[in-house]
Amino acid sequence: MLVTVEDGRAVRIAGEREHPFTQGFLCTKVAKYLERTYHEGRLLYPQIRVGPKGEGKFRRATWDEALSLIASRLRSIIDSDGAEAILPYSYAGTMGLIQGEAMASRFFRRIGASLLARTICSAAGSEALNLVYGNRMGTDPETIGEAKLIILWGTNTLTSNPHLWPFIRQAKEKGATTICIDPLRTRTAVACDEHIPIRPGTDAALALGMMHILFRDQLVNSPYLDEMTVGWRELRDRVLRDHPPHRVAETCRLPIETIERLAHRYATMRPTFIRVNYGLQRHAGGGSAVRAIAILPAITGAWDDVGGGCQLSSSGTFGLNFARLERRDIPCNTRTINMSRLGEALTEINDPPVKAMIVYNTNPASIAPDRKTVLRGLRRDDLFTVVLEHFQTDTADHADVLLPATTQLEHDDLHRAYGHLYVMYNRRAIEPLGEALPNSEIFRRIAAAMKLDWPELKATDEEMMRDALTDVGEQLRGITLETLRERGWMRLNIPSPHLPYRRGAKVPTPSGKIEIATDRGAAFGVGRLPEYIPPYESEERDPHLAKTYPLALISPPAHSFLNSSFVNVASLRRAAGKPTLEIHGDDAKARGINGGERVKIFNKRGAFTAEAVISDRVRPGVVSAPSIWWGKLTDDGTNANETTSQALTDIGAGATFYDNLVEVRAAQ
Ligand SMILES: Nc1nc2c(c(=O)[nH]1)N[C@H]1C(S)=C(S)[C@@H](COP(=O)(O)OP(=O)(O)OC[C@H]3O[C@@H](n4cnc5c(=O)[nH]c(N)nc54)[C@H](O)[C@@H]3O)O[C@H]1N2
Ligand SMILES: Nc1nc2c(c(=O)[nH]1)N[C@H]1C(S)=C(S)[C@@H](COP(=O)(O)OP(=O)(O)OC[C@H]3O[C@@H](n4cnc5c(=O)[nH]c(N)nc54)[C@H](O)[C@@H]3O)O[C@H]1N2
Ligand SMILES: [Mo]
């Protein structure tokens, strides 16, 4: 990202043309980052709550007053309930290493706070990759122009990963076939040659059915399987027995021919690339789905080809020293709270109850599942909440102390990626607005106000950057803070193209092979072999529920929002319009719903309202509510997370946002 500054003010923002992956363009949202940075709603000084929680009334305070209030409240909670009653809550507002879990982690470890399991986004898929491959690596995205078949599986690439698209376009121009597997006919599906509208939560069945066909028709790559994998014969016997195409067709609600054709194309075209993404793992069996899909390229040996294989995340390629950055050596034998069950943590846990929560880089009052319970927790009078933010979000409305944080233009940071192979330096472009401070500095000051005297709590941002780059693997050789600062970004020191699982490569699992059948499954909460695990909220598992609430609600990222970030940016909110619910004509007619009408979407957890859009972009039985709206910026103060559940995925204990049955009716 290139920022032009005139007289201390950022006046222009653009993509870096030289960057091999992002190629000079910014996504729809970040292109508006200046509008966001200079937004009239920016928090410019510390504030202390004056009205009831949730109302959002604050008075201005000095940093000294705010910090000493925080220090004394945390001290008294530690004295009365123990430090475990303090909960950090953070996620992906910034993905910078320094403004993420660096000083924050050191601080919380030193006081002995509860640990947070950061599961809300990618845990199921990441852990599934760790199970099969021992790490999170995949196809070098810059090579996929070479692919002849590209499967976009559970990803709305043009919305959520637009920088991959130029490479897909390259492949298309050279004649590649593109297939999108998604219950919704997204803009990505429309741009592909074929769209397979799978029933939500059934992708593992489809992948296992494809394997059945590959083994049945002897389309597998036995030399690759023998050399690079363990357990493939066991898998073969299982899929031949349990996953015949007719059964899979019924599970996935797809024609048998679609499954046969998909499998045959997958086996006979080369190179084949699967972009599997996070949408499909937000279901009960989400981890198992990623596990099964990730095994497909091992069965055909697609990993051997430049442009072949599969990519969920590249984050494991980086090998940064997180242990040193976060000081994981500081002993901290405290309990772990799963962030995807925040509602439960704030309303049910009692050993000890959560008495203080420090929120940074996240907006849980909008983005966490089972919002009604989350809000009930946030409104507890005996909960002390500190929020570090750019804006007065739904969460900030519940803060006792609200602290102004710097944006990416106003602080320095280091970044890795999860979809490409470059380390990046985030150089500060402008001075912090108002009295805003970087998260790292805020935690340093809280530690100082609490009179904590550990040297690692005084480390500068630069020292922490050096920690992340110290004692690192070969892939970071030559990548120093100095070279990064000078160049802005550097490719990891890995071969180009990077072929992580080409024949002959050592796979970082205990066996050194791709683990197709493995006893390690048990440690991940699953069996030796990948299986299909039906959604919690499905006919298979709960027929009564499926009758009462017959529609599967998906609440995917809206094109103009980044989770709940940018919802308050006027130009982007205008582009998003208003909260909508896409519903198939048959489902609308059965309920007497007309397009443009206000509808109520509900289940036993809660309800929200939206404007009905009748559309064949959704299949019958599926509805879609582009998200994630700030409740306070909607007509009735609600959003789709009123209906989502705190149930967890099979692998990784991740959130199951799209495993969510609802009913819809015209709102009064
Ligand atoms: N514009 C925009 N871009 C974003 C984000 C954003 O909010 N806005 N968020 C960022 C973040 S944090 C993340 S994690 C990524 C997420 O981006 P993706 O990994 O692409 O995940 P989602 O957008 O959640 O879902 C992608 C698609 O999966 C489909 N899907 C849902 N359930 C199923 C299923 O059971 N099977 C299949 N095959 N498909 C299913 C949805 O309909 C959706 O079209 O995007 C990042 N990029
Ligand atoms: N229904 C539904 N819910 C979902 C999802 C979905 O698809 N559907 N997606 C889920 C996914 S994939 C994710 S990743 C989560 C994301 O949820 P979050 O991690 O909460 O992400 P955002 O909603 O973008 O909120 C980030 C907040 O951090 C703030 N922020 C940004 N930079 C900084 C900084 O440097 N310092 C401080 N202090 N604050 C900063 C922003 O202003 C913003 O309010 O949401 C999940 N929730
Ligand atoms: Mo995410």
Side-chain angles (χ1 to χ4, degrees):
M1 193 161 98
L2 295 178
V3 181
T4 309
V5 180
E6 284 171 10
D7 300 329
R9 193 179 165 91
V11 293
R12 212 170 72 86
I13 190 165
E16 154 72 293
R17 282 222 190 86
E18 303 290 310
H19 194 284
F21 185 73
T22 56
Q23 298 191 4
F25 73 96
L26 299 176
C27 72
T28 311
K29 297 90 57 191
V30 172
K32 304 287 186 209
Y33 204 77
L34 296 190
E35 185 182 343
R36 184 181 188 276
T37 299
Y38 293 112
H39 192 287
E40 60 180 11
R42 264 302 289 283
L43 300 176
L44 299 175
Y45 41 79
Q47 298 181 80
I48 292 173
R49 181 170 60 85
V50 290
K53 290 199 173 189
E55 195 185 73
K57 288 222 170 72
F58 293 89
R59 68 168 172 85
R60 182 170 181 168
T62 63
W63 271 107
D64 280 346
E65 185 191 6
L67 290 166
S68 54
L69 176 61
I70 294 168
S72 72
R73 288 298 304 271
L74 294 184
R75 278 274 173 234
S76 80
I77 288 166
I78 292 171
D79 290 344
S80 59
D81 299 85
E84 274 193 321
I86 300 171
L87 178 69
Y89 199 85
S90 70
Y91 203 64
T94 173
M95 301 192 77
L97 299 183
I98 301 303
Q99 304 312 332
E101 310 314 319
M103 189 53 73
S105 159
R106 296 169 180 214
F107 168 73
F108 289 114
R109 294 188 85 90
R110 272 296 173 208
I111 62 172
S114 286
L115 295 167
L116 185 72
R118 293 183 172 80
T119 56
I120 206 148
C121 169
S122 61
S126 303
E127 286 299 304
L129 289 189
N130 289 341
L131 173 58
V132 181
Y133 289 96
N135 194 359
R136 295 151 336 277
M137 296 194 288
T139 309
D140 185 339
E142 287 166 66
T143 63
I144 66 169
E146 302 301 317
K148 284 288 170 277
L149 175 68
I150 295 182
I151 302 180
L152 301 175
W153 203 328
T155 172
N156 185 0
T157 310
L158 279 167
T159 285
S160 62
N161 183 200
H163 289 101
L164 192 66
W165 197 260
F167 300 96
I168 296 172
R169 200 166 49 219
Q170 250 178 41
K172 279 164 96 65
E173 278 160 10
K174 290 198 259 174
T177 301
T178 48
I179 301 177
C180 178
I181 306 178
D182 194 314
L184 309 179
R185 200 170 82 242
T186 59
R187 62 179 76 209
T188 304
V190 171
C192 285
D193 298 307
E194 184 181 348
H195 172 216
I196 300 181
I198 192 170
R199 179 187 148 220
T202 64
D203 302 270
L206 180 58
L208 295 166
M210 287 170 71
M211 292 176 196
H212 175 106
I213 296 164
L214 298 180
F215 283 112
R216 181 198 68 196
D217 297 349
Q218 284 153 31
L219 294 169
V220 306
N221 187 331
S222 309
Y224 185 92
L225 284 167
D226 283 335
E227 184 181 331
M228 293 297 291
T229 73
V230 289
W232 70 269
R233 289 186 177 82
E234 213 178 315
L235 175 75
R236 175 195 59 197
D237 297 347
R238 176 70 67 85
V239 297
L240 287 176
R241 191 188 74 194
D242 288 351
H243 301 284
H246 70 268
R247 189 175 296 165
V248 170
E250 205 183 295
T251 302
C252 302
R253 309 269 195 281
L254 292 170
I256 295 181
E257 308 77 69
T258 301
I259 300 164
E260 292 277 354
R261 192 174 59 234
L262 176 65
H264 278 123
R265 278 175 162 172
Y266 189 68
T268 54
M269 300 174 90
R270 296 183 73 153
T272 57
F273 170 68
I274 300 177
R275 171 62 169 161
V276 52
N277 221 347
Y278 294 112
L280 64 77
Q281 48 119 60
R282 309 196 197 290
H283 298 271
S288 291
V290 172
R291 182 185 188 189
I293 293 165
I295 287 172
L296 281 168
I299 293 178
T300 60
W303 289 118
D304 272 346
D305 301 331
V306 173
C310 146
Q311 199 210 49
L312 174 67
S313 174
S314 60
S315 63
T317 323
F318 286 77
L320 290 151
N321 196 341
F322 284 101
R324 186 168 169 137
L325 175 67
E326 301 175 2
R327 290 300 306 271
R328 292 182 191 161
D329 58 309
I330 300 172
C332 190
N333 298 317
T334 55
R335 69 178 171 193
T336 299
I337 288 183
N338 187 330
M339 75 179 301
S340 301
R341 301 188 64 107
L342 178 64
E344 176 195 63
L346 294 181
T347 58
E348 287 178 42
I349 289 184
N350 250 327
D351 55 338
V354 176
K355 284 292 187 68
M357 183 160 78
I358 303 186
V359 181
Y360 52 104
N361 299 338
T362 180
N363 180 14
S366 303
I367 64 89
D370 193 1
R371 183 170 189 256
K372 225 165 63 184
T373 310
V374 171
L375 292 180
R376 185 153 56 81
L378 287 172
R379 285 183 188 138
R380 269 175 41 206
D381 276 323
D382 63 339
L383 176 71
F384 177 67
T385 305
V386 179
V387 176
L388 285 59
E389 251 301 346
H390 298 154
F391 297 106
Q392 196 172 329
T393 58
D394 286 343
T395 306
D397 280 346
H398 296 82
D400 292 279
V401 183
L402 181 51
L403 301 174
T406 47
T407 68
Q408 223 137 309
L409 300 193
E410 300 151 55
H411 56 232
D412 292 299
D413 215 330
L414 272 186
H415 284 257
R416 64 171 170 172
Y418 60 110
H420 64 67
L421 299 167
Y422 297 81
V423 190
M424 293 153 293
Y425 192 82
N426 177 158
R427 186 194 299 275
R428 159 163 106 163
I430 55 171
E431 289 299 312
L433 298 197
E435 296 175 16
L437 291 174
N439 293 340
S440 54
E441 176 63 15
I442 297 176
F443 282 106
R444 269 191 291 267
R445 291 193 187 190
I446 296 175
M450 291 177 76
K451 311 234 171 352
L452 299 172
D453 204 28
W454 311 95
E456 69 274 6
L457 301 183
K458 295 171 186 161
T460 63
D461 288 1
E462 176 170 332
E463 283 162 348
M464 292 193 287
M465 289 182 193
R466 291 190 194 282
D467 283 337
L469 294 169
T470 299
D471 292 337
V472 286
E474 184 61 10
Q475 66 270 51
L476 287 161
R477 186 164 48 85
I479 302 182
T480 63
L481 200 52
E482 285 67 32
T483 51
L484 269 175
R485 271 192 184 135
E486 190 188 310
R487 296 180 212 173
W489 44 270
M490 288 175 80
R491 184 172 163 101
L492 289 169
N493 182 36
I494 49 175
S496 219
H498 179 229
L499 291 156
Y501 305 116
R502 171 178 254 179
R503 231 175 296 182
K506 179 153 171 26
V507 182
T509 53
S511 64
K513 309 254 181 194
I514 299 169
E515 300 202 349
I516 290 179
T518 171
D519 284 334
R520 283 166 63 240
F524 290 74
V526 288
R528 273 183 61 75
L529 285 167
E531 288 169 82
Y532 162 59
I533 294 169
Y536 290 113
E537 306 201 348
S538 61
E539 275 160 49
E540 288 103 312
R541 280 172 83 157
D542 194 343
H544 177 70
L545 184 82
K547 265 220 175 71
T548 321
Y549 302 110
L551 300 171
L553 171 65
I554 296 174
S555 48
H559 192 69
S560 315
F561 301 152
L562 176 62
N563 299 309
S564 77
S565 294
F566 296 95
V567 177
N568 61 329
V569 173
S571 63
L572 291 169
R573 198 161 72 255
R574 228 174 6 253
K578 52 180 102 167
T580 55
L581 182 83
E582 294 190 54
I583 182 168
H584 191 272
D586 297 350
D587 289 327
K589 199 161 158 226
R591 291 163 178 79
I593 293 167
N594 300 307
E597 205 170 16
R598 204 157 186 77
V599 289
K600 177 173 169 181
I601 303 99
F602 61 99
N603 58 22
K604 60 182 188 303
R605 288 177 290 270
F608 67 103
T609 62
E611 187 180 296
V613 175
I614 313 244
S615 167
D616 59 7
R617 287 189 296 268
V618 291
R619 53 182 293 165
V622 176
V623 287
S624 167
S627 291
I628 307 169
W629 287 83
W630 290 15
K632 66 196 276 187
L633 294 179
T634 67
D635 287 347
D636 64 351
T638 60
N639 76 13
N641 279 324
E642 307 281 340
T643 58
T644 54
S645 104
Q646 296 184 62
L648 301 177
T649 55
D650 50 350
I651 299 174
T656 55
F657 289 106
Y658 305 161
D659 191 329
N660 181 23
L661 289 179
V662 298
E663 180 54 293
V664 177
R665 66 162 173 256
Q668 270 79 31

